Amino acid sequence: MTIPHATPIPAPFLPPDPQAAAGSRIADFARWAARHQGADTIQDPTDYQALHRWSVTDLEGFWAAVWEYFDIDATAPYERVLAEETMPGARWFPGATLNYAHHALRSLHPDAPAITALDETGAGYEITGRQLRAQVASVAATLRDLGVGPGDRVVGYLPNTPHAVIAFLATAGLGAVWSVCGQDYAPRAAADRFAQLEPVVLITADGYLFNGTRHDRRTAALELADALPTLKATVLVDHLGLAWSAPRPAGPTVAWEEAAGRTEHLGITPVPFDHPLWIVFSSGTTGLPKGIVHGHGGVLLEHLKTLGLHTDLGPGDRLLWYTTTHWMMWNLVVSTLLTGAATCTYDGSPAPVARPDVLWELAARHKVTVFGTSPQYLLAMAKLGIEPAGHDLSAIRAIGCTGSTLPASAYPWVRDHVGEDVQLASTSGGTDVVSAFAGSAPTTPVWAGELSAPNLGVALAAYDGAGRPVVDQVGELVVTRPMPSMPLRFWNDPDGSRYRDAYFTAYPGAWRHGDWITITGHGSVIVHGRSDATLNRNGVRLGSADIHDVVERLPEITEALVIGAEEPDGGYWMPLFVVPAPGVTLDDALREKISDAIRTGASPRHVPDEILAVPAIPHTRTGKKLEVPVKRLLQGAPAEQVLHPSAVDNPDLVAYFAGLGAERRQARHPHAVKTVKTGKTGKDAS
């Protein structure tokens, strides 16, 4: 949508390169839509706002254009693009039959790399398009022989290696349903996810690499198999070269070499547009993780749009994005194949102690064109003094960044240490839609600390407390019209009540995601953090990300977490937890430096009541800070009601923060409102 400009548009940190913008696939799409789809409001193919406005006002025209532009190969045609525009319950492309796996394999050059397998040692090997098709055909035939058919579930307990990609494509080609998690999950945590699905086949590796250690997961794999009573067979992947000796999982087992080494014809099963493709799981901070079901057609169109248009991927490109198999970014990375580009898998730590710059080294060696990472990685590189430009990164044209809010301070570092013409593309989305709500494109400017624009086809708005869209004000992130990749349903939610409660109760008919955002007058999007973790001091709403941004720029601090906790006597406690850098002690001088930085970089209202050193900050398995669970622990909620152990990257921190809360409650006078003050923070915070 076009947003009225109440103030002059600020100068961007990086304007779009006119030549690159005009030659991009998104500009070509805009020209095509204007000629063939009646998008006559698009006068300039590089005018992103005009293209976005059309994409959300004419949903059927836009998604029909995506279908035609990317030449979707359907075995049966669709009757209408959007038969029912309701949320939840939108019906997209009824009547159409197709298959995601067919589209992932059809555009690959037989002799060019399709997958480059990498690990933290710097080693690697390539799988060509022809080899990938052959291995997918072989594994699909093996699964078929094991009794797998349409709708059956196949699960993977696998690191980020080509085995996971091949197994997924083979599963999808049969019309079966895929789910995967990394092997850093304990067997019980993996079973909490997979047992819900009643899988018929488990595909598991002998282990994975991380930070110089080869982790043997054979025993864990056996425990997981024993916890899945519906299994008909287990496929054993020899990734680390460990022997799969007795004991073995009960029931038939097949070695990966045998499963993937057959000579078979690749047969693809056409399925309806909304046939389940995969099940991804929420972080699951309370109770069992929720299984989110996505369909073949919705994912196909959404990922072609995101990767083909926004990321500008196509034949000849190569994407390296650090991820684990249980993060939705793995699903998106696999979809690189839809565009005809090559994708990279990576097994290991993003910054192993022995060679912390290994990802940059690999990106240079393999001529990566799009490099994807997280804000924490870029900030860590800066603090470690890593110099990416010491490698030949001339092939990189864009760095994608997601997982949390990317602070403005990271933008100059990327410009100065990676490349001045590299577009830093910050994005924000979710496992829920397995894509992004907002991000950038070759035709959008970059403003430091902001996401360039809502993504095409995403009717994004910021709602105030009355449910009205606001500009240049903090509001709830809502999507007011359906997206094809919204979940088909939650697993084991027969009446849809859990699905409705998750997104549609606050604003009926609109998707509420649970983030605070600002849509600016110049069309960009600023993400302030989770709305259920909002700081609300004396009626003033503050974003936690604004504090984290300032504090984590300080070289003395590795990471920070601020919490706003309402207390039973009406008080409000806003502590800031910091992890000091190695060799640094949190003393009064550093507390004062932190407070001054927040006062200057955010506002006096943002200065916390207390600054405390902690050994680490707890995260979900996908790297998001656990703001709400920590708040509830500090308030005294029982840990078993707050967090599912499998959801936390460091479960020991649950007891640690619960103990901090207990100590504070014990220390407080039962009838007095007491605010702990450090330095000048009490005065500044009042």
Side-chain angles (χ1 to χ4, degrees), residues 301-480:
L301 291 181
E302 177 64 34
H303 285 186
L304 280 170
K305 179 207 75 176
T306 299
L307 295 169
L309 302 183
H310 284 274
T311 314
D312 202 31
L313 287 174
D317 284 315
R318 183 170 293 176
L319 179 141
L320 169 60
W321 198 304
Y322 179 79
T323 184
T324 57
T325 53
H326 49 261
W327 187 20
M328 56 119 331
M329 285 308 302
W330 179 85
N331 304 73
L332 193 67
V333 165
V334 174
S335 289
T336 301
L337 301 172
L338 296 172
T339 69
T343 193
C344 298
T345 63
Y346 177 81
D347 182 35
S349 166
V353 172
R355 47 197 310 165
D357 64 341
V358 66
L359 287 179
W360 301 110
E361 175 191 329
L362 292 171
R365 186 189 312 166
H366 295 282
K367 303 300 180 185
V368 166
T369 53
V370 176
F371 181 93
T373 186
S374 66
Q376 290 83 0
Y377 178 80
L378 295 177
L379 294 172
M381 291 291 101
K383 289 187 176 184
L384 289 171
I386 299 298
E387 188 57 64
H391 304 283
D392 179 6
L393 301 177
S394 57
I396 293 180
R397 66 167 186 271
I399 291 182
C401 193
T402 192
S404 59
T405 302
L406 179 64
S409 59
Y411 290 72
W413 184 86
V414 169
R415 177 196 61 203
D416 298 339
H417 297 272
V418 181
E420 62 181 10
D421 296 324
V422 173
Q423 183 181 31
L424 183 47
S426 181
T427 65
S428 181
T431 301
D432 324 71
V433 294
V434 76
S435 187
F437 297 117
S440 64
T443 53
T444 60
V446 173
W447 290 277
E450 304 176 12
L451 284 65
S452 295
N455 275 19
L456 297 179
V458 181
L460 193 69
Y463 273 11
D464 65 12
R468 297 171 301 211
V470 293
V471 175
D472 285 328
Q473 297 180 37
V474 177
E476 286 268 9
L477 186 162
V478 298
V479 181
T480 60

Side-chain angles (χ1 to χ4, degrees), residues 285-287 632 637-643:
T285 54
T286 57
R632 294 189 62 204
E640 62 273 14
Q641 296 179 14
V642 172
L643 282 165

Side-chain angles (χ1 to χ4, degrees), residues 153-155 168 177-181 185 193-194 196-197 276-284 288-295 299 303 324-332 430-435 485-491 498 503 622:
R153 275 76 64 200
V154 175
V155 296
F168 157 60
V177 187
W178 173 255
S179 192
V180 63
C181 75
Y185 273 76
R193 288 154 173 76
F194 293 158
Q196 300 180 55
L197 310 182
L277 172 65
W278 57 47
I279 299 169
V280 291
F281 284 90
S282 68
S283 299
L288 289 176
K290 295 189 295 290
I292 303 172
V293 186
H294 294 117
V299 169
H303 285 186
T324 57
T325 53
H326 49 261
W327 187 20
M328 56 119 331
M329 285 308 302
W330 179 85
N331 304 73
L332 193 67
T431 301
D432 324 71
V433 294
V434 76
S435 187
S485 66
M486 286 176 173
L488 302 176
R489 59 184 180 276
F490 286 170
W491 193 258
R498 293 171 64 208
Y503 309 111
T622 57

